[in-house]
Amino acid sequence: MATVSLTPQAVFSTDTGGVLGSATILRFPPNFVRQLSTKARRNCSNIGVAQIVAAAWSDRPAARPHSGGGGGRGRGVVSSHAAAASAAAAASPAAEASAIPNAKVAQPSAVTLAERNLLGSDASLAVHAGERLGRRIATDAITTPVVNTSAYWFNNSQELIDFKEGRHSSFEYGRYGNPTTEALEKKMSALEKAESTVFVASGMYASVAMLSALVPAGGHIVTTTDCYRKTRIYMETELPKRGISMTVIKPADMDALQNALDNNNVSLFFTETPTNPFLRCIDIELVSNMCHSKGALLCIDSTFASPINQKALTLGADLVIHSATKYIAGHNDVIGGCVSGRDELVSKVRIYHHVVGGVLNPNAAYLILRGMKTLHLRVQCQNNTALRMAQFLEEHPKIARVYYPGLPSHPEHHIAKSQMTGFGGVVSFEVAGDFDATRTFIDSVKIPYHAPSFGGCESIIDQPAIMSYWDSKEQRDIYGIKDNLIRFSIGVEDFEDLKNDLVQKAMSF
């Protein structure tokens, strides 16, 4: 049996970028590391254990500089919000006095790949942003490790005091941040061209946190008739408890929006674009100018577009929200949400989030990070297939009406063309039949799953009158949800297969 040689090595601190000459650890040889990682993957329920072991016990030279620069300790994990704080600390005599003895202080790098013009497209950003450089985890693994921890420890009381006074960087507690989640937030910020992003446990919670943090008690908001029903329910039932009133307008009614802005002290206009389920489109640049002239914020729920098809912030929106469960993650296997925008606003949402909770599990963050690497490929495929499907359905005699922004017949087609690079993967349509005929259509298809949600690799189909509004015929009538309405989320399957499934199975009614 081979013996393992354990050799004392100097500890490299990624927090200071230097070698802690007074401390030693036992470093294992490379083969032991690989075997340990394999066994950890085989025997542990969480792959993050193996990834962090591999990150912490590196077979590289101990004093090798961390390519990401900045923040954290030599424990395989580097903390958030480090760049500015660490740079200030390195230059501060007071910080030097309180630093760990014998540590070599290095200036952390604030240069990102985008700033170096290496990532000039959404495709490259989706793959590399937040990970290729500047990742705050000390590892040479290509993929970002899952960091499963509920808290972060301090070397001594002085380091804790330095953290409390802004001279040391740490997440401190799992509710306040996580390195895996931070990499995800950086990737989304790069794609949305945002100053900051906060990821949370679900898209619905992202909306709740945003409204709670930014709309004051007694405030007034404006929203649209066509939207995710649970968002409307929250606004109708919970916001009045804080004295917040609401004006609801039709998506394209700019006169109604102007009237609401003129006659109320509006804090926020919150709307989807495209909307759910009729895919109405709001002119983001126009409404941002209208809102800002009255001192109101504009928040766009861009879930149906994805950052590949639409960048609301560049058009004037203050904030953009996504249910990351949909296109962002893209595999129907994880729930999450995010808010992106100016740091001044996102910080308020983040502070609320830190107090209330709604934390994204780091394993979920890892799944979303992985999904985002193919975001551009998936969305481009779904754009193309959905447009072909919409064109096919619009010409079919058994389809009464099709709702899709990419069709010239769509009422906001001109708006969609001006602010979107693709029209999304959801097609809504009404069959030429009644409630039962629509049920038969849904039950006949064999490729799409009969389920809620959208934006994943697998196609999904549903009848909103049952799936979303079964409990309220009155609500269906108010918001135009007809018995024959179908929402069809196109996956990444072949167009001909999906079309043939509809023709051979569903359109025989």
Side-chain angles (χ1 to χ4, degrees), residues 245-260:
S245 55
M246 179 171 64
T247 297
V248 181
I249 65 173
K250 293 181 179 178
D253 194 343
M254 295 298 98
D255 289 338
L257 174 60
Q258 189 63 59
N259 185 63

Side-chain angles (χ1 to χ4, degrees), residues 98-278:
S98 63
I100 301 173
N102 302 321
K104 295 181 181 178
V105 179
Q107 294 285 351
S109 172
V111 178
T112 66
L113 280 172
E115 289 169 335
R116 292 185 179 185
N117 297 319
L118 294 179
L119 303 182
S121 68
D122 283 345
S124 297
L125 289 171
V127 175
H128 293 300
E131 299 185 89
R132 187 66 176 87
L133 285 180
R135 180 170 59 190
R136 299 188 180 278
I137 304 177
T139 175
D140 54 5
I142 292 176
T143 57
T144 296
V146 182
V147 180
N148 282 304
T149 185
S150 60
Y152 305 85
W153 59 279
F154 298 88
N155 282 312
N156 49 50
S157 296
Q158 184 58 56
E159 188 173 84
L160 175 58
I161 293 171
D162 289 342
F163 164 71
K164 294 295 184 181
E165 295 182 354
R167 295 185 298 273
H168 175 77
S169 174
S170 174
F171 289 115
E172 183 186 14
Y173 188 59
R175 195 167 75 246
Y176 308 148
N178 179 277
T180 310
T181 306
E182 184 186 50
L184 174 61
E185 292 171 341
K186 289 181 177 180
K187 190 181 293 290
M188 179 56 72
S189 290
L191 282 169
E192 281 290 8
K193 301 190 182 302
E195 290 180 4
S196 181
T197 295
V198 57
F199 259 85
V200 295
S202 71
M204 186 65 227
Y205 175 71
S207 298
V208 170
M210 182 276 299
L211 290 167
S212 299
L214 299 178
V215 182
H220 190 92
I221 68 167
V222 181
T223 191
T224 56
T225 53
D226 197 28
C227 68
Y228 177 50
R229 190 185 178 201
K230 293 299 189 295
T231 304
R232 184 191 305 120
I233 290 173
Y234 173 79
M235 291 189 289
E236 290 176 342
T237 60
E238 297 300 320
L239 293 185
K241 297 176 183 178
R242 296 174 51 209
I244 297 172
S245 55
M246 179 171 64
T247 297
V248 181
I249 65 173
K250 293 181 179 178
D253 194 343
M254 295 298 98
D255 289 338
L257 174 60
Q258 189 63 59
N259 185 63
L261 291 167
D262 289 341
N263 293 287
N264 301 277
N265 184 20
V266 176
S267 303
L268 176 80
F269 178 31
F270 181 33
T271 181
E272 301 170 6
T273 183
T275 63
N276 181 22
F278 293 112

Side-chain angles (χ1 to χ4, degrees), residues 24-45:
T24 60
I25 60 172
L26 297 178
R27 302 187 65 79
F28 294 86
N31 287 342
F32 184 86
V33 174
R34 284 190 279 272
Q35 292 167 10
L36 181 60
S37 299
T38 300
K39 290 179 180 179
R41 288 185 176 90
R42 186 178 298 135
N43 298 327
C44 297
S45 61

